[in-house]
Amino acid sequence: MSERQKVTIRTLFSKAEKGEPISWLTCYDYPTAYFQEQAGIDMILVGDSLGMTMLGYDKTLPVTMDDMIRHTQAVRRGAAMAFLVGDMPYMSYQPSNESAIRNAGRFMAEADCDSIKLEGGGEMAHRIEAIVQAGIPAIGHLGLTPQSVSALGGYRVQGKGALQAKKIIDDAKTLENAGAFAILLEMVPDRICKIITERAENCLILSLGSGPDAHGQLLIYHDMFGLYPKFKPKMAKVFGNAGEVILNGLTQYVNEVGDKTFPQPEHWFTIKDEEYDELLGLLK
Ligand code: KIV
């Protein structure tokens, strides 16, 4: 097993102070968490994107707290040292501060998370404040916020116009003042991300498709490896085509079963002749 030190908030701020970018990936299952931990990932997000990547929905809204807890527990079993972030699903925090604290608390108590993340601008500042006051580290999420995809008019870059960009910059400061120790900027123009990062005083800024000037980078694991067949966003660099490798292997398996080249003797189990003969006697 890994000999890594536990990644904490202090580790993350210390990296940022030294100008070392923070690496962050989504993850939803035990084996992938194991590999990410071995690779030395700093942070893992169990995103509600699991609704799309793992459960096959076409958006994140149907994902429940129980879905999130089950997957987050599996990820923690594979990655003991990475900084683990539980993503609060739709309607787990929007209704009230109490729902927000209770559900954030479930991530910490039941899934051993280090922090939670929730979507939304200044209107979510009270939720962040309440969660942080309950002793739970919170990460904000601005720009493209998939739980509001209908209100945003689709999966599109946010903050291209000056007024909208100003609102994102203001929202970032409001969330920081509410106590968020980090903010994810998803699909925000690079120069807006740079301004927000430069203005952040006690808050880590993380980029998903928002350029290189943040304190760290996030990618969706399934996009990195060609594992989500429906869509590949522009910001996703493909680091290997695991989807193609898996499809080729599956096709070969189907063909080999069909033409009887699988299985071969090394793939099955046998019984000794004397045991077999005795069995035949017993069966007479
Ligand atoms: O659910 C998720 O994976 C996310 C990312 C899109 C940032 O929130």
Side-chain angles (χ1 to χ4, degrees), residues 26 28 45 47-49 87 117 141 146 184 186 208 218 220:
T26 63
Y28 319 99
L45 172 67
D48 65 351
S49 52
D87 198 16
K117 168 177 92 56
H141 179 169
L184 170 66
E186 177 171 355
L208 173 55
L218 170 68
I220 309 281

Side-chain angles (χ1 to χ4, degrees), residues 202-227:
N202 195 21
C203 189
L204 301 169
I205 306 301
L206 297 146
S207 157
L208 173 55
S210 303
D213 295 309
H215 299 113
Q217 297 292 324
L218 170 68
L219 273 185
I220 309 281
Y221 170 81
H222 281 59
D223 296 337
M224 288 175 73
F225 290 107
L227 289 169

Side-chain angles (χ1 to χ4, degrees), residues 20-244:
E20 294 173 10
I22 295 163
S23 58
W24 193 13
L25 280 177
T26 63
C27 182
Y28 319 99
D29 60 75
Y30 167 80
T32 310
Y34 176 83
F35 288 130
Q36 291 192 9
E37 179 90 316
Q38 297 303 304
I41 197 78
D42 293 314
M43 297 173 71
I44 290 179
L45 172 67
V46 183
D48 65 351
S49 52
L50 70 82
M52 298 163 83
T53 55
M54 302 298 286
L55 304 178
Y57 297 123
D58 62 0
K59 49 182 180 284
T60 58
L61 305 198
V63 174
T64 66
M65 268 307 293
D66 286 345
D67 292 331
M68 293 303 302
I69 294 291
R70 174 58 70 93
H71 283 270
T72 310
Q73 288 168 333
V75 168
R76 179 50 101 199
R77 286 192 281 268
M81 298 299 166
F83 189 90
L84 183 60
V85 183
D87 198 16
M88 301 205 52
Y90 187 55
M91 288 301 145
S92 68
Y93 57 99
Q94 288 92 342
S96 65
N97 284 355
E98 190 191 323
S99 65
I101 295 170
R102 278 194 194 289
N103 286 314
R106 284 194 66 190
F107 276 111
M108 307 300 281
E110 297 175 38
D112 194 19
C113 278
D114 297 298
S115 160
I116 58 85
K117 168 177 92 56
L118 57 80
E119 298 182 9
E123 69 284 358
M124 284 299 147
H126 291 306
R127 301 289 181 268
I128 299 252
E129 211 165 52
I131 289 168
V132 171
Q133 274 175 13
I136 299 170
I139 300 179
H141 179 169
L142 296 171
L144 176 67
T145 45
Q147 290 174 17
S148 313
V149 64
S150 180
L152 296 177
Y155 294 96
R156 54 182 66 221
V157 179
Q158 301 294 312
K160 285 178 99 169
L163 278 180
Q164 204 194 22
K166 168 85 167 49
K167 175 161 175 11
I168 296 173
I169 292 168
D170 291 344
D171 279 345
K173 196 40 85 181
T174 306
L175 296 186
E176 177 177 354
N177 290 338
F181 80 91
I183 296 171
L184 170 66
L185 297 180
E186 177 171 355
M187 288 175 74
V188 168
D190 56 351
R191 286 187 284 182
I192 310 307
C193 177
K194 186 165 191 276
I195 292 173
I196 293 173
T197 307
E198 283 167 357
R199 292 187 177 191
E201 287 154 288
N202 195 21
C203 189
L204 301 169
I205 306 301
L206 297 146
S207 157
L208 173 55
S210 303
D213 295 309
H215 299 113
Q217 297 292 324
L218 170 68
L219 273 185
I220 309 281
Y221 170 81
H222 281 59
D223 296 337
M224 288 175 73
F225 290 107
L227 289 169
Y228 188 63
K230 289 188 189 166
F231 179 62
K232 188 194 103 44
K234 173 179 188 290
M235 65 236 186
K237 177 175 172 186
V238 177
F239 285 77
N241 207 329
E244 198 176 292

